[in-house]
Amino acid sequence: MRYALPRVSCGLLAAIFVVSTAIVVPAAQPAAVSRLGNLLQSELRRNFDRLAQEESPPYFISYTVYDTGGSRAQASFGALQRSDQGRTRFGTVEVRSGDYALDSTRPLRGNSASASLNSLLNTQTTRVPLPFSDSEAPIRTGFWRATDRAWKQSAEALTRVQANVAATVREESPAPDFSRETPQSASAEPLSAAWDRSTWEGRVRRISAQFALDPLVFRGDVTISMDSTTRYYVNSEGTNVTTSELVWRVGMQAATKADDGMELPLYATYFARTAAGLPSEAQLVREAREMVAQLARLRSAPLVDPATVPAILSGRAAGVFFHEIFGHRIEGHRQRNADDAQTFAKRLNESVLPPFLSVVFDPTREKLGDVALSGHYHFDDEGVRARPVTVVDKGVLKTFLLGRTPLAAFPQSNGHGRAQPGRRPVSRQSNLLVQSEQAVSSERLMEMLREEIRRQGKPFGLYFENIEGGFTQTGRTAPNAFNVLPNLVYRVYADGRPRELVRGVDLIGTPLAAFSKIIATDDRMEIFNGMCGAESGSVPVAAASPALLVSEVEVQKKQQSQETLPILPAPPSRRGS
Amino acid sequence: MTRARALALLAGVIAMSPAVAAQVAEDFVLTALRDELQRAMASLRIEGQPAPYYIAYQLDDLSGRRVTARLGETGDESFGRSRTLRVEVRVGDYDFDSSRFQSGLVTESAQIIDDDYDALRRHAWLLTDSAYKRAVNVFARKKAAFQNRNAEEAIPDFSKETPVQRVLESSAPTANWSDWSGRVRQMSAVFVADPLVLSSEVNLIEEHGRRHFISSEGFSIVSPIGLSAVRVVAETQAADGTTVRDAIELYEGSLSDMPPAPELLARTRDLAARLAAARQAPPGDEYTGPVLFEGGASAELVAQVLVPALLATRAVDSERAAPVAQPPFLARIGSKVLAEELTVTDTPSLARLGQRPVPGAYVLDDEGVAAQDVTLVEGGRLMTLLTSRVPQRGLPRSNGHGRGGGVQAGVVQVTSSAAVPMTELKARYLALLKEQGRAYGYIVRSVVPPTALAGTGTDVSDILSLLVSGGAPSAAPAGPLLPQIIKVTPEGTEAVVRSMRLGPVAPNLFRDVIGASQERTLHTWRGAPGSVAAVGSLGSRQVPVSAIVPALIIDDLEIQRVREVAQKLPVVASPLAR
């Protein structure tokens, strides 16, 4: 079963997750876990206490250490392209001056050089390069220096904030700048696993070799990777939390072009927490062959003209759809931002989805069925304990996703302050679960689609099997619309003709209208695991949903590349195949 | 913003073996690339469009290792291998082609590690197809832009050169990497002793590998590439808050050519001592007059100021019909540009200077053209410039200096017909100060570019200052920094000062050389690809460049205070102070 979907390139700020190439050194010994946490706590305390005597003292300091290891093998058409192993360890420092109600991080209102200066400070963190050992001298020195600089910057920022607050109109919803949370403590063993380089290199070669079987496939890559992240977080409130995570991923991509130059890509990704959790080589080889066959069918598939018709979104497609169209709009910090359209800010306790749908974000959930969920964690990047959050209950909006930047109605974090290592956390999604009380079998749902086509008198409906990603605008200045990019779409006919693969379809619309048109769902949850990029970088997320029947979707023609297929045929193979 | 800039991949030809093979052995790489090259030249063609007249493939196979240490502990350590295939396609002809327009050259690249004929050829096929389509497009736009221009004097786009077929011997990488890793840790531990050093870092990089190059003209070359670097950088603050930084940067063709461990450690200790001395030293006074540059400093000055003026760079054309910038010395060939006693040559053939290998030496340049020794300035008079296959006005042929994606020097030598021993040169300088009735003069021991020594840094203040100043330098163009500068009285009393830089500099300043030593210093740096968008060939990368230069007295130089907004000292004491 293929669950995963490739990147969800959330259309905010795209961020690239880079794992540096460095040698893998065995992860720190268990005893060292608390040792590093305690060393950080001790240096933090030393700085905090001394700075408390200064004129503009910090009221909050946090230190985070990220110890990340990455191993990957990538091959293209049967030949190795990259094979790296790396490890890096660095820290970040956050210093806040002022107090919980009004502090140095408050965005400045109006457009000025100070505003862009402060907003830059709010997205950057001070990075501390660190040794792999838990040696005191370089670790303390690095954090000491960074704390001094971060404190000076926060004191300056606070002065600008205070002047700005005094000079501008009162805000609509004066919520505090930082929530108060219960200190947490937790430790974890650093996770690691052996990386058998030649095994994985051989595997990516053999799987990607399948793409060379079709000379019209002009891109055919396979990557297998193992990434570990051990995070040490301490703050001046007393939190001291160590967490560790190990993830394995397989990514496959292949692409061809239609005769008219339209590029046709297909992706498949898999996610697991152990090597054994990944599909077998035989399965992946079959998958690659299926992708080649699918590309051949896509190449000769007809184009679809712009149309408004009823449709089914498969569970995977619906998961991406909800992540893009809904999930990004209920991230708490957007409700505070004056530049955001705030689609849902004033809709609390109102109906935003059909009454048979609920949406839960549950980072505590490790698996759904047998499938690992990549948005799982125990503590978020602000040291707050993860918990399930029911955002929509039977169609009614109940809350938002919150980090430690509160809203007037919600003074606490609900454990969704997340960031890519090295970035400043903001509220982000975790495991999105769409729950339906109006579920029918998949066969019945398809039957309902045919009925809907007949009822509306449309020539056909659409079945979206897969969506490669999408982007969405949540700002006030641009149209508040979405555009998702399906790569496997079928035309469905009411009269019993078999479904027909089509190409060149983009799904467009506006969020609230789209949700009001969901009629029913099926009873099978499908899952996509992917990376989501936004202000605080790239974070792992999951979305799970049953298939959705929608009374009306609007599709437009995909943008298309002007370049044609290669002029010369593929060169003759020496190997033969 | 983050830590020290990573030292980029570097390339340089180092093998000088006399036993160079006469013909190219047929390895699978050359076979795969040649097969695809022949097929593309024979039949790659869009109906109604020009066929390619030139195709070249370059495959760089590089292994790299790097390690960073701070305060006695290893931070980042990495091992990696990359093999990059680059393809260049030109349409048109040597006189007027698809190159040198807007973004320069049409190239495509991909990574491929495996020794696999099929996969390599498949990548070559796809990259060539893509590069050809782009070349056709660029050529059409370039022709359109030129159709109404009245070319006063057409300079060809690409020079014709004799094809070379050679295999140059490769060197082996350093075997004792773990020794080096330990050495770097030991060097970085020197700074534990000084709690007033705010940050410090030691980097070591070794890269080496082979390059395959073939072109449709019949070039077929296998050559070694590689470079090793050691960099130590440290930062402290003077009592008035001024930042004081200093660095050591050493480049060699391979790690085994680096100074031995005790010497590296001693030089690191010297750096720590200099930093401590500079921290306590007063800022110097502004000054205009004669300045003595010791050997290393004069070589750095030559590298930063004179060498760029000796390169026959050529800016790309664009759709905007604006005149393009000319190299400052182009119009002065035949004229006097330096002091009369100075001669400047570039001698890539000089593989050793006494016992020391010269990293800037090479046999074939990156375009496959045989390196030539060139006399650039004789008796102060400019004879010619260094050239690649991109011709300039009056310079139609390459003299084997197509390096690093543009034109670049190899081994620049400066000599003076009036050189005297160093002790005598210094005595002469002091006498000159006395003669001019000056209370003091300056001896400069290092010259670094204004952008060098950027912090090993940990914060965003660098970006912030850019943001505040709108990203543009607010003041007049600043000259190089002088992290090691000594104030000297006519009686010879020396005192360390800090926070000084040269005023704006131009190549003309070497007209005012009024003394030179017999002793010469070898200095090697990374030559950046031609900065004036002078993209000329495949593989824009940094290459080692060496200079061998005497100590110099230069008259009438301006030395300025570095004006910076000093930050307060840290409030909390250093953890090392406990």
Side-chain angles (χ1 to χ4, degrees):
Chain A
M1 201 145 70
R2 191 181 60 195
Y3 283 110
L5 212 115
R7 7 152 238 205
V8 181
S9 55
C10 312
L12 304 160
L13 288 165
I16 304 158
F17 184 62
V18 179
V19 172
S20 81
T21 62
I23 192 170
V24 167
V25 179
Q29 296 302 303
V33 175
S34 56
R35 183 178 144 71
L36 178 55
N38 293 340
L39 176 58
L40 295 176
Q41 191 61 263
S42 151
E43 185 59 26
L44 187 153
R45 188 47 59 189
R46 193 178 77 88
N47 280 272
F48 190 77
D49 290 348
R50 174 64 189 82
L51 292 175
Q53 303 161 23
E54 292 298 302
E55 197 178 321
S56 183
Y59 77 98
F60 177 88
I61 298 181
S62 73
Y63 291 170
T64 310
V65 169
Y66 295 95
D67 191 333
T68 60
S71 305
R72 72 195 54 233
Q74 181 184 331
S76 170
F77 296 117
L80 203 62
Q81 284 193 292
R82 276 183 66 180
S83 180
D84 306 318
Q85 285 176 270
R87 183 178 168 199
T88 60
R89 206 190 212 196
F90 67 91
T92 59
V93 170
E94 184 185 9
V95 176
R96 289 169 175 255
S97 296
D99 56 36
Y100 287 89
L102 180 74
D103 77 17
S104 45
T105 69
R106 174 162 302 191
L108 299 192
R109 293 156 71 84
N111 251 336
S112 64
S114 308
S116 42
L117 194 65
N118 273 28
S119 75
L120 183 66
L121 280 172
N122 285 343
T123 53
Q124 301 286 331
T125 53
T126 299
R127 231 177 215 245
V128 188
L130 294 174
F132 292 136
S133 73
D134 292 337
S135 168
E136 281 207 28
I139 295 176
R140 283 187 185 271
T141 306
F143 276 102
W144 159 71
R145 176 94 203 277
T147 306
D148 176 67
R149 293 189 163 198
W151 168 64
K152 283 170 179 162
Q153 282 162 5
S154 83
E156 282 174 36
L158 180 64
T159 306
R160 288 189 289 265
V161 164
Q162 286 164 338
N164 187 258
V165 167
T168 52
V169 290
R170 190 169 285 274
E171 269 183 80
E172 282 174 47
S173 55
D177 283 337
F178 204 45
S179 70
R180 291 177 193 269
E181 304 293 340
T182 317
Q184 302 287 331
S185 77
S187 66
E189 308 268 321
L191 293 175
S192 66
W195 174 258
D196 183 351
R197 197 163 62 95
S198 62
T199 297
W200 300 112
E201 287 179 357
R203 197 166 289 189
V204 293
R205 279 191 193 104
R206 289 186 294 272
I207 301 164
S208 69
Q210 308 308 315
F211 297 126
L213 299 179
D214 182 345
L216 294 179
V217 173
F218 66 87
R219 194 165 66 232
D221 308 336
V222 176
T223 305
I224 298 182
S225 62
M226 175 188 85
D227 292 295
S228 64
T229 307
T230 300
R231 187 189 62 199
Y232 306 81
Y233 175 91
V234 302
N235 70 25
S236 52
E237 297 163 332
T239 291
N240 186 342
V241 168
T242 303
T243 57
S244 190
E245 177 179 77
L246 183 71
V247 301
W248 293 77
R249 289 192 176 86
V250 177
M252 303 166 65
Q253 59 166 323
T256 188
K257 278 186 179 198
D259 289 338
D260 59 13
M262 179 178 288
E263 189 162 330
L264 301 164
L266 285 179
Y267 307 87
T269 65
Y270 299 88
F271 169 88
R273 297 193 185 273
T274 60
L278 293 176
S280 69
E281 179 172 335
Q283 269 177 281
L284 292 171
V285 165
R286 274 199 303 279
E287 171 79 47
R289 287 196 174 150
E290 177 49 32
M291 286 169 81
V292 171
Q294 193 71 276
L295 287 175
R297 289 193 285 271
L298 273 172
R299 216 160 31 228
S300 53
L303 290 161
V304 171
D305 288 325
T308 304
V309 293
I312 289 176
L313 273 64
S314 74
R316 280 193 303 279
V320 179
F321 188 77
F322 262 91
H323 170 92
E324 288 295 342
I325 314 313
F326 181 75
H328 281 301
R329 290 187 166 73
I330 47 97
E331 290 164 339
H333 65 285
R334 294 190 204 296
Q335 320 308 321
R336 286 173 65 110
N337 181 351
D339 296 334
D340 202 279
Q342 304 183 349
T343 317
F344 292 119
K346 300 282 193 282
R347 307 283 302 252
L348 204 62
N349 295 317
E350 289 179 21
S351 170
V352 295
L353 291 180
F356 57 89
L357 289 181
S358 297
V359 178
V360 178
F361 284 87
D362 188 358
T364 67
R365 191 96 180 225
E366 263 191 270
K367 284 181 166 183
L368 194 62
D370 292 336
V371 182
L373 296 175
S374 78
H376 162 66
Y377 51 88
H378 295 291
F379 290 90
D380 73 6
D381 293 296
E382 295 175 311
V384 176
R385 191 176 284 278
R387 71 206 66 176
V389 178
T390 301
V391 171
V392 175
D393 190 21
K394 299 187 171 58
V396 176
L397 183 65
K398 289 299 184 187
T399 187
F400 298 96
L401 294 178
L402 296 159
R404 291 192 66 176
T405 304
L407 299 177
F410 300 100
Q412 301 297 148
S413 167
N414 53 29
H416 281 83
R418 304 187 67 197
Q420 174 179 333
R423 306 284 283 267
R424 286 239 180 168
V426 299
S427 52
R428 300 289 296 273
Q429 300 175 62
S430 55
N431 292 322
L432 182 160
L433 308 172
V434 178
Q435 297 169 344
S436 168
E437 290 175 8
Q438 198 150 310
V440 299
S441 71
S442 304
E443 296 71 27
R444 175 64 196 135
L445 198 70
M446 188 56 76
E447 199 41 53
M448 289 169 73
L449 172 62
R450 294 207 176 89
E451 288 164 17
E452 193 61 31
I453 297 167
R454 279 192 288 270
R455 197 184 63 74
Q456 295 184 23
K458 298 285 183 184
F460 62 87
L462 291 172
Y463 176 73
F464 294 87
E465 184 170 296
N466 214 343
I467 293 179
E468 69 182 77
F471 46 90
T472 186
Q473 301 271 3
T474 69
R476 246 178 210 186
T477 48
N480 191 14
F482 64 82
N483 186 338
V484 295
L485 311 168
N487 55 2
L488 276 181
V489 184
Y490 294 87
R491 247 189 316 231
V492 176
Y493 298 101
D495 59 9
R497 269 180 290 164
R499 68 181 191 175
E500 176 190 29
L501 186 66
V502 293
R503 67 180 168 96
V505 181
D506 275 4
L507 182 57
I508 54 170
T510 50
L512 289 170
F515 294 127
S516 68
K517 292 178 177 130
I518 301 170
I519 303 171
T521 77
D522 76 1
D523 53 6
R524 272 178 53 225
M525 292 287 271
E526 283 189 327
I527 298 155
F528 95 88
N529 283 310
M531 300 297 291
C532 168
E535 300 95 317
S536 65
S538 183
V539 299
V541 296
S545 172
L548 305 177
L549 173 61
V550 187
S551 62
E552 202 176 274
V553 296
E554 190 180 347
V555 294
Q556 69 177 16
K557 268 192 183 159
K558 209 185 260 306
Q559 282 200 336
Q560 114 182 33
S561 127
Q562 294 307 309
E563 271 203 6
T564 53
L565 279 164
I567 298 159
L568 299 178
S573 163
R574 260 196 181 177
R575 204 187 293 134
S577 44
Chain B
M1 180 179 98
T2 54
R3 14 148 317 207
R5 318 157 271 155
L7 300 169
L9 292 178
L10 308 148
V13 178
I14 41 184
M16 290 297 141
S17 163
V20 165
Q23 81 245 4
V24 173
E26 275 302 311
D27 60 11
F28 95 94
V29 169
L30 287 175
T31 314
L33 296 179
R34 179 164 304 122
D35 289 352
E36 194 52 30
L37 181 67
Q38 281 166 357
R39 187 171 79 123
M41 285 303 288
S43 41
L44 185 61
R45 177 89 189 245
I46 296 174
E47 189 73 23
Q49 296 292 336
Y53 84 95
Y54 175 89
I55 298 178
Y57 295 142
Q58 175 187 290
L59 186 81
D60 280 0
D61 191 341
L62 267 184
S63 297
R65 310 193 273 194
R66 63 184 62 200
V67 59
T68 301
R70 296 175 198 88
L71 300 176
E73 298 288 340
T74 305
D76 295 313
E77 184 161 14
S78 68
F79 288 53
R81 178 161 174 226
S82 69
R83 192 151 74 163
T84 312
L85 173 64
R86 297 188 188 83
V87 175
E88 175 186 347
V89 175
R90 291 169 182 253
V91 302
D93 57 33
Y94 288 87
D95 286 338
F96 186 82
D97 72 16
S98 51
S99 71
R100 297 190 47 262
F101 194 65
Q102 308 282 30
S103 56
L105 204 65
V106 179
T107 65
E108 296 279 342
S109 70
Q111 285 291 318
I112 177 156
I113 291 179
D114 274 343
D115 282 351
D116 183 315
Y117 174 94
D118 282 359
L120 190 60
R121 197 168 165 192
R122 190 179 183 100
H123 278 102
W125 161 54
L126 292 169
L127 295 177
T128 310
D129 184 81
S130 177
Y132 170 60
K133 286 168 181 164
R134 280 180 48 214
V136 164
N137 187 293
V138 169
F139 189 58
R141 280 166 45 216
K142 184 169 166 178
K143 270 204 310 204
F146 273 77
Q147 66 190 359
N148 293 321
R149 288 187 201 173
N150 213 343
E152 39 188 78
E153 173 193 19
I155 308 168
D157 280 334
F158 201 40
S159 73
K160 288 184 183 152
E161 305 293 342
T162 314
V164 172
Q165 295 94 31
R166 269 180 95 169
V167 176
L168 300 176
E169 196 179 284
S170 290
S171 64
T174 304
N176 57 346
W177 179 255
S178 62
D179 291 1
W180 273 100
S181 185
R183 229 167 272 183
V184 164
R185 269 203 303 280
Q186 203 185 4
M187 287 160 72
S188 74
V190 163
F191 299 97
V192 176
D194 188 350
L196 296 177
V197 171
L198 298 175
S199 66
S200 62
E201 177 174 295
V202 182
N203 298 299
L204 173 68
I205 291 178
E206 181 186 41
E207 268 155 6
H208 87 103
R210 289 210 305 169
R211 164 175 295 170
H212 286 80
F213 175 79
I214 72 166
S215 77
S216 54
E217 294 169 322
F219 281 87
S220 178
I221 289 164
V222 182
S223 58
I225 49 178
L227 197 88
S228 295
V230 171
R231 183 168 189 259
V232 185
V233 53
E235 177 182 333
T236 186
Q237 256 180 314
D240 64 3
T242 308
T243 306
V244 176
R245 293 192 184 107
D246 203 346
I248 304 170
E249 266 186 53
L250 301 173
Y251 297 96
E252 295 291 349
S254 93
L255 268 190
S256 50
D257 296 335
M258 283 287 170
E263 187 186 327
L264 285 174
L265 195 59
R267 291 179 71 161
T268 309
R269 291 207 177 98
D270 286 348
L271 172 65
R274 285 204 305 270
L275 216 54
R279 182 168 63 222
Q280 286 153 23
D285 294 306
E286 307 217 326
Y287 169 93
T288 302
V291 175
L292 172 60
F293 290 83
E294 291 191 353
S298 59
E300 287 164 349
L301 193 65
V302 164
Q304 290 161 44
V305 182
L306 182 59
V307 171
L310 297 171
L311 310 177
T313 53
R314 185 162 161 214
V316 298
D317 290 308
S318 75
E319 263 141 10
R320 291 176 50 231
V324 295
Q326 298 289 337
F329 274 5
L330 185 64
R332 302 181 58 187
I333 294 174
S335 311
K336 184 174 170 263
V337 291
L338 305 185
E340 236 156 57
E341 61 266 34
L342 293 184
T343 292
V344 182
T345 57
D346 188 277
T347 55
S349 66
L350 187 80
R352 301 193 87 81
L353 182 66
Q355 293 305 303
R356 290 192 57 188
V358 179
Y362 60 94
V363 178
L364 301 172
D365 74 6
D366 290 348
E367 296 175 316
V369 177
Q372 293 172 28
D373 291 352
V374 179
T375 299
L376 292 158
V377 178
E378 197 163 14
R381 192 172 303 278
L382 183 65
M383 311 301 288
T384 187
L385 298 178
L386 298 175
T387 55
S388 68
R389 289 190 68 177
V390 179
Q392 248 299 5
R393 187 159 23 93
L395 301 168
R397 295 288 297 270
S398 169
N399 53 28
H401 286 81
R403 306 184 71 206
V407 52
Q408 189 53 269
V411 182
V412 174
Q413 298 200 54
V414 177
T415 50
S416 167
S417 55
V420 296
M422 185 63 204
T423 44
E424 199 183 317
L425 187 72
K426 193 166 172 189
R428 196 192 281 185
Y429 181 64
L430 298 182
L432 188 66
L433 294 178
K434 188 171 273 174
E435 195 179 297
Q436 296 184 356
R438 293 178 183 273
Y440 62 90
Y442 281 112
I443 300 175
V444 173
R445 294 204 171 127
S446 79
V447 178
V448 305
T451 51
L453 296 184
T456 51
T458 49
D459 71 346
V460 292
S461 49
D462 299 342
I463 314 180
L464 294 184
S465 56
L466 268 181
L467 191 79
V468 171
S469 67
S474 42
L481 302 171
L482 305 171
Q484 296 174 53
I485 180 167
I486 310 289
K487 194 171 180 179
V488 61
T489 66
E491 294 70 42
T493 313
E494 299 187 356
V496 174
V497 295
R498 62 170 165 85
S499 304
M500 305 307 285
R501 76 182 333 151
L502 288 178
V505 287
N508 290 347
L509 70 85
F510 291 96
R511 288 170 164 241
D512 296 325
V513 168
I514 51 173
S517 67
Q518 286 163 351
E519 298 87 338
R520 296 189 304 158
T521 304
L522 168 64
H523 165 65
T524 299
W525 70 99
R526 292 173 300 157
S531 49
V532 211
V535 185
S537 79
L538 281 174
S540 171
R541 48 193 302 146
Q542 296 180 313
V543 292
V545 185
S546 298
I548 302 166
V549 180
L552 298 171
I553 299 173
I554 302 178
D555 200 6
D556 208 23
L557 266 187
E558 188 183 343
I559 290 187
Q560 304 174 342
R561 267 291 285 285
V562 175
R563 303 283 174 191
E564 70 165 339
V565 183
Q567 290 288 312
K568 286 182 186 166
L569 295 175
V571 168
V572 183
S574 164
L576 298 173
R578 302 188 310 164

